[in-house]
Amino acid sequence: MGGMMSQLKYVIFFGAFAVGIPAGYKYAKQNKYVENFVFFLMIFFTCVEVTINFVSRETYRGTSRGFEIGLIDLACIIILLLIIDRKKKYPIKMLPPGSVLYFIFFFFSFLSFYNSDIMLYSWFEIWKMVRMYFYFWVIYNYINDFDRIEILMKYFGIILIYVFIIVLKQKYLMGIFQASGPFPHQNSLVMYNIILSSFIFALVFNKKKSNFMFWGMVFGMGGISIISTLSRAGMACFMISLMAIMFLTFLSGFSMRKIALTFVLALMGLGVLYKAMDSIIERFETAPEESVETRIVLAEAAVKMANDKKLGIGLNNFALKINPPYTYGDHIPATKGDDTKRALVETVYLNVAAETGWHNLVIYLIMLLTMYIRNIINFFRYKGHRYRFVLIGMLGGLTGIYIESTLEWVLKQTGNFYQLMMMLSLSAVMSKLIKMERRKKKYELRKKMEIARKK
């Protein structure tokens, strides 16, 4: 019976692909509401994984556990077909900014196969990385005007509301102390919400024609969800993100509106903290000291791996090689638990170094830093522009998750990885849109000058 259900699952899933893609493309091409809905699914499924696993290893504790394919891929393919259909109006950029660095990172990740003892685990992660680039590529080539940015912000708001509802259900109906929402872990929720909440926070302060009551409420929901995780590092990084946004907001110019909003949001924040204070205090008092020690010994093991193998110990092989018969975890005391409890190093940076080498960590950091610098450059390019808040939100959000990633490997989890690639793409999109707008203005100016000469 179980085998029949499993086969039926594959039949339904492939049926959805075989029928859903042609039908979705047909109706999306004919109806903008259908198109917008497909685009929404492409964003929404970054927080809700609806996937099927091929050759899965669910008990493995690595960064990937199978060859996944999901409804997000279906939505991406439909949008890809629309991009191809419109290539005359919007020429396709085969290598969007950021592609070369990603390919170099991919190449050295692939090269680490040389030291992989179970190559299947490495192939799991390679397949994920291919899907991530496809997602990045589709977003870049699809967003060709600021109307799409406007729509994207609305989708971010919807997702924050959805996550908030799930968190409330877990907190008050299911009695879960540390809520994780639709994510596999509370830290995943924190990093995801830091990005989206940062955009909304920047929107509230910097977009003049916005519904303050609605967007303020959405931001509050995002913040409450983060507080409900009771992640100490997460709450601290969220505050860092907000402070960065406030700095960039007032750097853009002072106004009574911004000062008044600061006062109102500060009061709202104090009210939320007062309500949650009992849980926060309990979390700080009962947090196990062993968690810090475990992070340290796993970090030491990661350094051993990176120093031992110049190409890394093999992509997605950390959770394998931290255990016997490998010796990398021999320094971990028996009191830290049995071998099955030794999972992944709790920092994405040392995870990259351990599995693919120090050189690839440098590439990874350059890729992240390049995205950050591009946003800083765009921040100045967008001076006085109504969409400058997008750069402010992105810079604030990235500041928070980059810092938190020193303590978490979450950016390798599927949903958060998708979101990171979305940010990488969006930073390049903002460069593209400002160039397109300036070219359009120059063209219109030339036209006016030609008409004036003829008169």
Side-chain angles (χ1 to χ4, degrees):
M1 186 67 179
M4 288 181 61
M5 290 300 293
S6 179
Q7 290 178 358
L8 181 62
K9 179 174 67 174
Y10 286 107
V11 170
I12 293 172
F13 203 86
F14 279 112
F17 266 72
V19 177
I21 290 173
Y25 167 62
K26 176 183 176 182
Y27 290 113
K29 185 178 176 181
Q30 295 173 350
N31 191 307
K32 69 175 183 179
Y33 295 108
V34 175
E35 178 184 343
N36 288 342
F37 180 67
V38 175
F39 183 41
F40 169 72
L41 295 181
M42 191 174 156
I43 307 302
F44 179 71
F45 284 129
T46 58
C47 80
V48 179
E49 292 185 45
V50 182
T51 61
I52 192 168
N53 251 333
F54 300 91
V55 197
S56 64
R57 297 291 184 271
E58 293 300 327
T59 57
Y60 184 59
R61 301 186 69 178
T63 54
S64 295
R65 302 178 184 183
F67 293 115
E68 287 182 337
I69 189 166
L71 293 184
I72 191 170
D73 302 299
L74 183 150
C76 281
I77 293 171
I78 293 172
I79 296 295
L80 170 65
L81 295 175
L82 292 175
I83 291 169
I84 295 171
D85 184 65
R86 298 165 183 172
K87 63 182 179 181
K88 288 186 178 179
K89 183 177 181 181
Y90 299 109
I92 295 173
K93 180 80 169 178
M94 295 308 297
L95 288 176
S99 296
V100 173
L101 279 172
Y102 189 83
F103 289 157
I104 296 172
F105 178 64
F106 182 90
F107 171 75
F108 285 118
S109 297
F110 191 81
L111 211 59
S112 73
F113 274 46
Y114 181 79
N115 292 320
S116 296
D117 282 4
I118 299 184
M119 293 184 67
L120 180 64
Y121 294 162
S122 298
W123 280 113
F124 288 164
E125 188 70 14
I126 282 291
W127 170 243
K128 182 199 286 184
M129 292 176 71
V130 170
R131 292 171 67 208
M132 296 300 150
Y133 182 77
F134 177 55
Y135 187 77
F136 157 83
W137 189 95
V138 169
I139 288 180
Y140 179 84
N141 281 287
Y142 179 66
I143 301 179
N144 285 300
D145 54 52
F146 286 109
D147 288 342
R148 289 280 161 215
I149 299 296
E150 197 77 42
I151 291 171
L152 194 60
M153 294 304 119
K154 292 176 182 176
Y155 293 166
F156 288 170
I158 292 170
I159 292 172
L160 284 174
I161 293 170
Y162 170 78
V163 172
F164 175 71
I165 292 171
I166 301 298
V167 166
L168 284 186
K169 176 184 174 183
Q170 292 176 345
K171 197 81 175 173
Y172 297 105
L173 296 183
M174 301 171 68
I176 297 175
F177 184 57
Q178 289 184 269
S180 60
F183 298 92
H185 193 273
Q186 58 265 21
N187 293 329
S188 313
L189 185 157
V190 169
M191 294 192 77
Y192 192 93
N193 263 31
I194 282 178
I195 289 288
L196 298 196
S197 297
S198 293
F199 278 114
I200 305 306
F201 191 66
L203 183 153
V204 168
F205 270 90
N206 296 276
K207 198 166 184 286
K208 293 180 180 178
K209 294 182 179 179
S210 63
N211 187 329
F212 168 74
M213 292 299 294
F214 173 75
W215 290 113
M217 179 188 71
V218 171
F219 168 72
M221 290 179 176
I224 290 170
S225 295
I226 290 173
I227 293 171
S228 297
T229 66
L230 298 177
S231 167
R232 295 167 295 171
M235 287 186 280
C237 289
F238 183 48
M239 291 304 299
I240 291 171
S241 296
L242 299 186
M243 286 189 289
I245 292 168
M246 292 296 294
F247 171 76
L248 293 171
T249 293
F250 283 104
L251 186 64
S252 300
F254 280 85
S255 70
M256 288 304 298
R257 177 181 178 276
K258 290 179 181 179
I259 294 171
L261 287 176
T262 302
F263 181 73
V264 171
L265 289 174
L267 286 178
M268 291 170 61
L270 288 173
V272 171
L273 285 175
Y274 177 77
K275 176 69 171 67
M277 191 54 67
D278 290 345
S279 296
I280 294 172
I281 291 172
E282 183 180 352
R283 166 61 177 156
F284 273 81
E285 289 179 344
T286 60
E289 294 181 7
E290 291 81 3
S291 63
V292 176
E293 296 172 10
T294 300
R295 288 176 186 274
I296 293 171
V297 294
L298 286 172
E300 290 170 348
V303 171
K304 282 185 183 180
M305 293 176 184
N307 289 337
D308 183 45
K309 303 291 184 181
K310 301 303 180 186
L311 296 177
I313 52 97
L315 189 65
N316 198 22
N317 268 227
F318 187 99
L320 170 71
K321 295 189 177 182
I322 191 64
N323 295 300
Y326 307 97
T327 60
Y328 300 116
D330 284 355
H331 66 288
I332 301 176
T335 54
K336 295 289 178 267
D338 59 32
D339 296 333
T340 61
K341 292 182 181 178
R342 298 183 191 171
L344 291 173
V345 58
E346 293 289 348
T347 161
V348 72
Y349 306 121
L350 284 182
N351 178 270
V352 170
E355 293 187 345
T356 62
W358 290 114
H359 56 287
N360 211 27
L361 172 60
V362 173
I363 299 299
Y364 186 69
L365 291 174
I366 291 173
M367 186 170 70
L368 296 182
L369 186 60
T370 300
M371 172 167 51
Y372 200 82
I373 292 172
R374 183 181 295 120
N375 285 321
I376 292 174
I377 293 170
N378 283 334
F379 171 77
F380 292 103
R381 284 178 178 170
Y382 275 77
K383 184 178 181 180
H385 199 285
R386 64 193 179 113
Y387 286 102
R388 196 184 202 186
F389 77 88
V390 176
L391 286 316
I392 294 174
M394 201 159 9
L395 283 167
L398 290 177
T399 300
I401 70 168
Y402 284 1
I403 294 172
E404 191 178 0
S405 292
T406 61
L407 301 170
E408 307 292 347
W409 66 271
V410 171
L411 284 183
K412 281 254 185 174
Q413 288 184 354
T414 302
N416 297 90
F417 201 163
Y418 268 126
Q419 191 187 52
L420 179 67
M421 296 307 289
M422 187 197 305
M423 294 305 102
L424 183 63
S425 185
L426 195 56
S427 66
V429 163
M430 294 303 288
S431 295
K432 174 178 70 173
L433 293 182
I434 195 67
K435 289 177 183 176
M436 288 172 63
E437 185 176 79
R438 288 177 177 177
R439 281 198 300 266
K440 184 180 178 181
K441 286 180 179 179
K442 286 180 180 179
Y443 174 77
E444 290 174 349
L445 182 61
R446 282 200 305 269
K447 279 290 186 182
K448 288 180 180 179
M449 291 176 67
E450 287 175 7
I451 293 170
R453 284 197 208 99
K454 290 177 181 180
K455 288 183 178 179

